[in-house]
Amino acid sequence: MPDWFLTLTHWLALPEVGLSTVFVVAFVSATLLPMGSEPAVFALIKLNPELFWPAILVATAGNTLGGAVSWLMGLGAHKAIDRARGNATELRALRWLERFGPKACLLSWLPGVGDPLCAVAGWLKFPFWPCVAYMAIGKFARYVTMTAGLLWAFPGHLPA
């Protein structure tokens, strides 16, 4: 492996730089890149149970900012997406989104469709700050639910 990659992975190691790692992973996973941040949040909390709320809040902030970047990418990609708009299913989905407006961003937590939803909200020129607020609410609820569920399913401490 290249030295820069090993240095990066060492710098992002959970026990040493836990909350910043959670932030970066949550931010990147909220863009259109296919990855999830829940394993990083869960691992940090299993290693440091006292960081439950800080980890949830940092992950929510990173994921929400990543969603805002997706919104901005959608706004910038307006013309490119406009070419694919002729499909009836896409038109039905766009009408649904237009009906709900920024509140549709509450669904930004959904796997597979949530991140593109943020981009489409930007493409539709929904108001930025209401979208970000609804993204934050949805993403916060997801992190609390997922992490609490994982802690319930996998109780106990990691072996030392």
Side-chain angles (χ1 to χ4, degrees), residues 135-153:
M135 283 180 221
I137 293 166
K139 291 169 183 290
F140 176 79
R142 176 189 81 199
Y143 281 116
V144 169
T145 303
M146 292 289 294
T147 306
L150 285 169
L151 289 171
W152 176 80

Side-chain angles (χ1 to χ4, degrees), residues 88-127:
T89 303
E90 291 172 355
L91 289 175
R92 189 173 37 221
L94 288 175
R95 280 194 298 272
W96 181 86
L97 283 170
E98 288 171 340
R99 190 173 106 213
F100 285 98
K103 290 179 185 172
C105 290
L106 276 172
L107 300 176
S108 66
W109 65 271
L110 288 171
V113 297
D115 297 329
L117 176 69
C118 297
V120 172
W123 177 66
L124 291 173
K125 300 179 184 173
F126 287 168

Side-chain angles (χ1 to χ4, degrees), residues 30-73:
T31 63
L32 300 177
L33 297 175
M35 65 182 284
S37 55
E38 289 84 1
V41 174
F42 179 64
L44 177 64
I45 292 171
K46 285 300 275 185
L47 291 170
N48 301 290
E50 70 280 1
L51 291 179
F52 181 87
W53 288 111
I56 296 293
L57 294 174
V58 166
T60 299
N63 212 248
T64 301
L65 287 173
V69 168
S70 292
W71 185 97
L72 292 167
M73 290 177 359

